[in-house]
Amino acid sequence: MPMPSANRWMVLAAVIAAFTPVIVDMTILHIAVPSLTLALGATSTEVLWIIDIYPLLMAGLLVPMGTLGDRIGHRRVMLVGLCVFTVASLAAAFSQTPEMLIGGRALLAIGGSMIMPAVLAILRQSFEDEGERAKALGIWTVVGSAGGAVGPLAGGFLLEYFWWGSVFLVNVPIMALVLPLAYRVLPQGEPNRAIAWRIEQALVLLVGLVATVYAIKAGAKGDAPLWQPILAAALGLGLLVGFGRLQATAASPMLDLSLFRNPAIMAGLLMAFVSSGAIAGFELVLAQELQFVVGLSPLEAGLFMMPLMLAAAASGPAAGWLVSVIGLRTLSAAGLFVASASFAALAGVDLHEQAWLSGALLATLGFSLGSTLLAGSVAIMGGAPAEQAGAAGALEATGYELGGALGITFFGVLVSTVYRSSIDLPAAGGSSIGEAATAAARLEGAEADALMRAAGSAFTAAHEAVLQGAAALIFLLAIFALVVLRGRTTVAGAHG
């Protein structure tokens, strides 16, 4: 029996209200990094864990939480996820140490991973008419894009008037309104107890990823005994290889890695992985440059970053039209080449003196990377047979989240490495500009100014070097896309 029309749109309002804080939390914290670094005395490594524990856990949990919803009901999973997200927001907002904040962010990821898969499933259950469903999904997509775009601006606005914890605390009143609405209007659905829940596969992937990322961060910083990153790398890589073998042999794998045999899907996953990583990593570095070096307030920094985020959000509909006009291969290569050129140009721009040029380049970068993400999605879903569409979608979602997490790791680690080699006052400057700012706060007058000048110069040099490296990597990916997608000039051609 179809759901009454008014109820369907109330369901849409409820799931969008639940989904928005989850998507905003992916970007809102970037602008708060300088403030929380100073408030909590966080090291560069702790800052990276605070940021990327969220997408890292999401990457491993989205698929099993979606399966859990199929098994016990998506309404139940979403309601539990909303409760977890609310408690986690409170814990994160009032964290007293970096370790507490990392734990709060991890709990946020668990709640978010329960909410996100349930959104699409509940919309599919609620809107049986294809025309209405298309409208509902269109509204959901626009809100999702806007949420990611306004994250830095919302964070900047909150930090202009409140303390850094407000970027988490703002979720609580929203959830206080969403929870009773969701409880009242979300459909019960029909759980399928026959579906197997393979959480052990997700745990193998998660522990492997966390151990590998720890090895990268500890090895790059160099302040831990050598055996620790070596042991962590061995454990992480061993578990990831084991996960791959498990997926190849399991009767019901969490991720169907056989899809990698299709060149178009492999190229699409690489484009989604690199593009999401480049956006996330660059946002984090840019937010620190604007506040620690250029001297902007959080709100000013959020406004400065808006061209990047708005252009990335607007690129989806535009790229959807472009792929039908110029073809998948051309759009993929053009997006990557333009993104590479934008990174190279931004490496040489003075963000303080050339604000208008910086804004234009940020908009170009956002649009090109957003277009590449869309092209990657088209390549993945177009290259997959109809009977494997769900598996391809799960692989894409995992790749997107994993790309964001590892992009933050690699941008952060490389910036920190170049920074330490460039700082004129290594003892006082620490291993990051955040640590230098914390040290400068304890100094007076000329000493503090000298330290921040040295730290600012070193960070700018690191920023430029990393952007040049990103430009080179994306240029190589553009060449790869041109070769692998040869003959796949249209969306339909992705099947060929």
Side-chain angles (χ1 to χ4, degrees):
M1 178 178 172
M3 181 180 291
S5 178
N7 286 359
R8 289 199 293 275
W9 298 107
M10 284 297 291
V11 168
L12 176 63
V15 297
I16 283 179
F19 171 73
T20 301
V22 178
I23 200 71
V24 169
D25 257 40
M26 292 181 178
T27 57
I28 194 172
L29 192 58
H30 294 174
I31 209 75
V33 163
S35 299
L36 69 86
T37 299
L38 293 173
L40 299 179
T43 66
S44 59
T45 302
E46 289 168 340
V47 166
L48 291 182
W49 279 117
I50 289 167
I51 298 292
D52 66 11
I53 194 67
Y54 188 83
L56 200 60
L57 292 187
M58 292 276 273
L61 290 175
L62 280 175
V63 175
M65 289 303 184
T67 305
L68 180 63
D70 292 335
R71 180 177 169 81
I72 68 172
H74 290 286
R75 177 181 184 272
R76 182 180 299 176
V77 171
M78 175 173 272
L79 290 174
V80 173
L82 290 171
C83 293
V84 172
F85 201 84
T86 304
V87 172
S89 296
L90 281 167
F94 295 104
S95 296
Q96 301 298 307
T97 65
E99 292 79 10
M100 288 178 64
L101 184 51
I102 292 168
R105 287 278 287 173
L107 196 59
L108 279 168
I110 294 172
S113 68
M114 300 177 80
I115 295 168
M116 287 186 70
V119 168
L120 288 175
I122 289 172
L123 288 181
R124 176 64 185 86
Q125 293 170 1
S126 303
F127 290 87
E128 296 183 2
D129 178 79
E130 290 189 5
E132 284 193 345
R133 189 189 309 146
K135 290 179 183 177
L137 290 173
I139 294 170
W140 170 77
T141 302
V142 169
V143 171
S145 299
V150 303
L153 183 60
F157 177 81
L158 288 168
L159 290 170
E160 193 77 7
Y161 301 102
F162 307 103
W163 96 115
W164 65 266
S166 62
V167 301
F168 298 110
L169 196 61
V170 70
N171 294 331
V172 176
I174 295 173
M175 290 301 177
L177 295 173
V178 171
L179 262 169
L181 176 63
Y183 183 83
R184 182 179 178 85
V185 306
L186 294 186
Q188 292 289 345
E190 297 182 5
N192 184 355
R193 298 286 181 178
I195 293 176
W197 190 45
R198 306 295 187 188
I199 188 62
E200 71 278 1
Q201 297 182 21
L203 293 177
V204 172
L205 174 61
L206 281 173
V207 177
L209 287 172
V210 171
T212 303
V213 170
Y214 171 82
I216 294 169
K217 293 174 180 177
K221 191 168 184 181
D223 58 354
L226 186 59
W227 64 268
Q228 288 185 8
I230 291 176
L231 182 62
L235 173 64
L237 293 175
L239 286 173
L240 292 177
V241 169
F243 175 79
R245 289 179 176 172
L246 184 62
Q247 301 312 291
T249 57
S252 54
M254 175 182 144
L255 296 174
D256 188 354
L257 300 185
S258 67
L259 290 167
F260 276 108
R261 297 172 189 158
N262 185 310
I265 293 177
M266 182 175 66
L269 282 168
L270 274 175
M271 287 190 290
F273 183 86
V274 171
S275 298
S276 59
I279 290 176
F282 177 58
E283 279 178 22
L284 176 61
V285 175
L286 180 61
Q288 293 179 79
E289 172 95 12
L290 291 172
Q291 294 178 72
F292 280 135
V293 181
V294 180
L296 300 185
S297 70
L299 180 57
E300 290 169 337
L303 288 168
F304 194 102
M305 294 169 66
M306 285 305 290
L308 173 72
M309 305 306 299
L310 290 176
S315 65
W321 172 76
L322 282 171
V323 76
S324 64
V325 174
I326 64 176
L328 174 63
R329 179 174 181 248
T330 302
L331 178 63
S332 301
L336 289 166
F337 279 128
V338 172
S340 174
S342 299
F343 268 131
L346 282 164
V349 167
D350 187 322
L351 297 177
H352 184 66
E353 299 294 337
Q354 298 173 293
W356 287 103
L357 176 59
S358 299
L361 289 172
L362 288 174
T364 304
L365 178 66
F367 189 88
S368 58
L369 287 176
S371 299
T372 304
L373 277 172
L374 184 281
S377 181
V378 170
I380 294 165
M381 301 311 295
E387 64 273 14
Q388 290 182 288
L395 203 59
E396 178 187 1
T398 302
Y400 179 86
E401 295 295 339
L402 191 55
L406 295 184
I408 289 166
T409 294
F410 282 105
F411 267 73
V413 165
L414 290 174
V415 164
S416 182
T417 300
V418 179
Y419 170 89
R420 287 198 305 272
S421 67
S422 304
I423 186 75
D424 291 333
L425 302 169
S431 61
S432 71
I433 193 167
E435 292 175 35
T438 301
R442 296 192 294 265
L443 301 175
E444 295 182 1
E447 285 184 294
D449 292 342
L451 175 55
M452 287 310 298
R453 279 196 302 271
S457 297
F459 190 86
T460 298
H463 190 184
E464 292 173 358
V466 171
L467 293 192
Q468 290 165 355
L473 175 64
I474 292 174
F475 183 85
L476 292 176
L477 181 58
I479 301 296
F480 177 79
L482 275 175
V483 173
V484 172
L485 297 176
R486 184 182 291 121
R488 292 176 168 83
T489 54
T490 65
V491 177
H495 294 281

